[in-house]
Amino acid sequence: MMLAEMNVSGDLAALLLRFIEQKQLDAPELQKQLCQYPPASRMTFRSWWCYLDQLQALMPKIPIGLELGLAIEPAYLGVLGYLTLSCDTVAEALQRFEHYQRLLHDGETASTRLSQDQFCIHWSSQFGISTQLSDEVLIMGMVKNLRIITGNNDLQPCRVQFVGAQPQGGIDYRRWLDCPVSFEQPELMLCFPLDYLKRPVSHSDPSLKKLLDQQAQALLDVIPRQEVFYQQLQQAIVKVIQSGTPTQEKVASLLKLSSRTLHRRLYEQGLEFRTLLKQTRLQLAKQYLAERKLRLTEIALLLGYSEQSAFTRAFRQWSGETPLQYQRKLSAAGIS
């Protein structure tokens, strides 16, 4: 899984340490692991997910992801946290977040869509799917940060959608987020009323913003672009899928690598071409099905299948349901 080997800000270790302290948890081994991350360091997503799982195991009846999201403060977001606090409006803070989000994590980058009455921040899954706990920290943390920068604790999202299945345990997500929440969706998404973009930031400081902008850019320039190879690989896989029968040799050729070199690089990253191909096809299939602009026969051809029946069989094997069943589920959830 590609995302697992990418990095997230080590500053989040301080969030977990503070949470353990506040809850008076007996977790000496976990604390020892978290103390290895100094400010501005990095940890892998795999480690981050493991730490969240350990915390959840210590408090099985508490929705750890949502609790941690509510505990987010600017200090845990490093320079980017303070930069958003110094902006003039929510729209400007969101623009800075999108530009500098690699300071917080590699991999999926957030982008914003605007409609007549909402703006939606969404994350694709092109590098693999994150865990439900991690997504909950992200979503609730975004809500909390919006409240912090505006000084208004009453701000609420319009809707939230998660990629993962709804967790067992009876968590009342509507009580936590005060909006419709759906699961097993094509992408992680968080939506707010459009007029929130015009809200002023309560601690706006143009002079400080200029200094923090410079500092954030300097930090961004020295972070290794770990995801570049993955992005190029993903793009190459999409191209060979849409041009015919996808093979590792064709992908290697597009990347200007020998098939042997590509195999070695995949092996070094713990990746397998067949798995990447399946993940990419599934992601594209869900995207095409959600858009409803193409017939199933056309989707099958775009995914490199000569017949619709072959695509239907593959989709059922990947997801446990047929393409039509998946579209009906989206319709039932109000997603067009």
Side-chain angles (χ1 to χ4, degrees):
M1 183 178 180
M2 294 182 289
L3 185 62
E5 308 310 324
M6 293 184 175
N7 292 324
V8 64
S9 172
D11 291 336
L12 290 174
L15 169 66
L16 303 190
L17 284 167
R18 179 62 175 164
F19 185 83
I20 291 171
E21 179 184 338
Q22 289 178 333
K23 298 296 183 180
Q24 299 181 331
L25 299 177
D26 183 19
E29 184 57 36
L30 177 55
Q31 288 171 301
K32 180 180 178 181
Q33 295 175 53
L34 293 171
C35 285
Q36 69 180 303
Y37 300 103
S41 62
R42 311 287 276 185
M43 71 172 83
T44 65
F45 271 95
R46 189 186 303 279
S47 296
W48 166 244
W49 297 338
C50 180
Y51 301 145
L52 292 178
D53 287 341
Q54 290 181 59
L55 268 182
Q56 186 66 81
L58 289 169
M59 304 183 72
K61 296 183 179 180
I62 303 296
I64 291 295
L66 301 174
E67 287 259 14
L68 284 168
L70 278 180
I72 289 286
E73 299 289 345
Y76 302 129
L77 305 178
V79 172
L80 182 54
Y82 294 113
L83 177 56
T84 56
L85 271 176
S86 68
C87 291
D88 294 331
T89 64
V90 168
E92 187 179 46
L94 184 60
Q95 184 271 331
R96 291 300 195 281
F97 172 79
E98 289 189 14
H99 183 72
Y100 294 117
Q101 60 191 293
R102 283 190 59 243
L103 294 177
L104 298 180
H105 62 84
D106 297 319
E108 319 303 343
T109 54
S111 56
T112 304
R113 297 171 183 159
L114 304 180
S115 64
Q116 290 185 341
D117 59 351
Q118 295 180 3
F119 70 93
C120 295
I121 309 166
H122 64 101
W123 294 261
S124 69
S125 301
Q126 61 176 322
F127 301 117
I129 297 173
S130 186
T131 66
Q132 179 66 23
L133 285 178
S134 183
D135 283 348
E136 288 174 9
V137 176
L138 175 58
I139 291 296
M140 188 59 85
M142 294 289 292
V143 174
K144 174 67 180 300
N145 197 56
L146 180 63
R147 293 170 180 171
I148 290 174
I149 67 175
T150 60
N152 187 341
N153 287 327
D154 294 328
L155 298 187
Q156 300 288 359
C158 300
R159 62 188 172 103
V160 170
Q161 64 179 45
F162 289 106
V163 176
Q166 184 166 0
Q168 301 296 317
I171 299 173
D172 185 357
Y173 283 87
R174 287 201 65 140
R175 182 178 71 81
W176 282 85
L177 293 160
D178 198 27
C179 69
V181 179
S182 54
F183 297 86
E184 298 184 83
Q185 301 304 312
E187 59 187 5
L188 182 67
M189 189 161 66
L190 171 65
C191 300
F192 292 102
L194 189 62
D195 61 6
Y196 280 15
L197 290 175
K198 299 177 182 178
R199 298 246 179 169
V201 174
S202 56
H203 295 83
S204 176
D205 187 332
S207 298
L208 180 60
K209 178 178 65 177
K210 183 177 180 180
L211 291 173
L212 292 174
D213 251 329
Q214 295 172 347
Q215 185 178 354
Q217 187 60 54
L219 290 171
L220 192 66
D221 290 341
V222 299
I223 295 177
R225 293 199 64 87
Q226 186 186 20
E227 78 279 12
V228 168
F229 171 68
Y230 296 132
Q231 290 177 338
Q232 294 173 340
L233 178 61
Q234 180 86 11
Q235 291 167 0
I237 290 175
V238 170
K239 285 182 180 179
V240 299
I241 285 174
Q242 296 177 342
S243 64
T245 305
T247 65
Q248 184 169 317
E249 289 72 21
K250 290 182 179 179
V251 170
S253 177
L254 283 175
L255 294 173
K256 297 183 173 20
L257 299 173
S258 68
S259 181
R260 187 172 182 177
T261 299
L262 176 59
H263 178 79
R264 176 177 54 79
R265 293 194 65 177
L266 291 174
Y267 178 79
E268 289 171 349
Q269 300 292 335
L271 304 174
E272 185 181 71
F273 179 76
R274 184 178 300 179
T275 301
L276 295 175
L277 178 61
K278 182 181 75 171
Q279 290 174 345
T280 304
R281 275 176 155 165
L282 177 58
Q283 178 191 333
L284 289 172
K286 287 185 173 181
Q287 178 183 327
Y288 295 146
L289 291 169
E291 290 173 351
R292 299 176 185 277
K293 295 178 181 178
L294 300 170
R295 297 190 298 271
L296 292 184
T297 52
E298 294 171 327
I299 294 175
L301 289 174
L302 283 174
L303 295 179
Y305 295 100
S306 58
E307 297 180 353
Q308 178 184 325
S309 59
F311 162 58
T312 299
R313 285 195 302 272
F315 190 86
R316 179 184 292 158
Q317 182 181 8
W318 299 333
S319 64
E321 57 192 346
T322 67
L324 288 177
Q325 287 171 333
Y326 179 75
Q327 284 188 319
R328 292 191 192 105
K329 184 175 70 176
L330 293 181
S331 296
I335 300 173
S336 58

